[in-house]
Each structure stands twice: as C-alpha cells, then as structure tokens.
Amino acid sequence: MKKFVSIALAIVMMLSVSVCAFADDYVDSIATEVLSTYEPLFPMDNGWWTEDSDLGSSTDAGAEFAEAILVDGAKIVIKADAIAGSTEDGYGFQYGVQTTDTWVMVLAHFNYANGEGNLAAEEVVVEGDYAYIIVDAAEFVDALTANDIDLTVNTWQWIFGACTGAKTYGVYVVSTGAAAEETTEEAEAAEETTEEAAESTETSTASSPDTGVALALVPMAIAGIAVVSSKRR
C-alpha cells in the first residue's frame, strides 16, 4: 500500500511540474483569460509551412485557436526569442496562415521589421530572453475573411517565420482589457478609501490631545486598582 501511495505522489508531482513548464508569466500577467494555448514540444525554427506542425485545421489545437480568435477583444500573443522583436535589418518575424507549401499562397500574415504582410503587430514587448508579438485577433480575422478563408472549414496550417537564429515557443490567444481595468480601478479605489480612513484617524488624534493623555492614563489606573485590591485581601 505504501509503495502504491509513493508512486501516486510521484505521478502527481510530475504532473504539477509539467503544468508549471507550460505556464508563461508574461502571458498570464496580461490575460484575464487564456483562450487558446499552443506550445510545441520542441521550439519551432523559421520553417514556414511545416507538415508536422500540430497547429492547423486538422488538429485540436487548431480548432481551439480558430474558435478563440472570434472572441470579442481577443489578442494573439506569439512568444519567440528576443531577437525576433528587433527592428534592425535582418531581424523581425512573419507568422500567419497558408494553405499550401508555396509562399505566394500565404493568406494572412504580419511582419514587424519592415511592414510586409497583410497586418502589422499591435505591439512587440521584449521581456528578458523573449519577444512577445501581440496582434489584434479581430484584424487577423478580417484579413482571413478578405481572403475568403474560414479556419473552421478550410485546410490550413500556421506558419512560423521568426528571423534566422530565433525560435518560436508558443502561440496564445488571450482575453484582455475591461475586466483587468475594472479590477485595477477597484483596487485603487479600495486603497484610496484605506488611506483616507488612516488620515482621518491621524487627524482626530492630533486634534484631541486630551484623548491621547486619557488613553495613556488607562494602564496606570488599572494598575492602581490592582494594588488597592491586593491590599484589601
């Protein structure tokens, strides 16, 4: 029985480590909800169309992605090596969707370095070793629609186009904005209320010095009562 319990605990620990390995602090920090997550087992080189990629129309990850980008206010967040976020010549990225292995058939993609492509990234944030390319999902959907592409029907594949030497670690779809702002505003309001209450207390004490003296005498009065009581005994 003890051996069985030990094995079960080991499995639980392994699963918890696996969950942590797939978490991303930056993505979590900007998301009110992570709607879709694709993290390849091995980081993707700039391979453009890759037949073995499991982010496409025939995969569970692809179906989840296609549904997530339709959520109002959704953002696509791509995690790559930091150099992919550089605007210097020779760096940058191109990601998107295509239906064949021919580059001219790219249906929607975006590029940060030189403005090529149907779309531009909304923002690129470099955090330590990684660049996070943030794209408005609604704009991406509009680009797909303009090319008569429905990700829930057509055969498609996601392309990975980070600059040479950079790898891609994940493609996420997140919900951001209103909920996070409301939470922040509520926290700020609560903090202001607490500060005002503290200031009010300080003002009351300062304006009534007699109260402070009276409070200071309370312990002395209690001690005096105790002495009298002991003498009577």
Side-chain angles (χ1 to χ4, degrees), residues 9-10 15 34 120 122 154 156 160 187 198 205:
L9 287 173
L15 289 174
V34 179
E122 188 172 81
N154 298 93
W156 61 274
F160 294 87
T205 305

Side-chain angles (χ1 to χ4, degrees), residues 5 24 27 34 37 43 50 70 73 99 107 109 111 120 142 165 168 181 186 192 200 202 224 230:
V5 172
D24 185 275
V27 173
V34 179
T37 298
T50 54
L70 297 176
T99 58
L107 301 168
H109 67 286
N111 187 304
D142 287 344
T168 304
E181 290 174 4
E186 289 174 3
E192 288 177 4
S200 177
E202 291 175 1
S230 63

Side-chain angles (χ1 to χ4, degrees), residues 45 47-50 53 55 78 94-100 103 106-109 156-162 168 171:
D45 285 311
W48 306 112
W49 174 276
T50 54
S53 171
L55 182 58
I78 302 161
Q94 286 181 304
Y95 296 101
V97 166
Q98 64 183 44
T99 58
T100 73
W103 171 243
V106 171
L107 301 168
H109 67 286
W156 61 274
Q157 192 73 293
W158 182 267
I159 56 173
F160 294 87
T168 304
V171 180

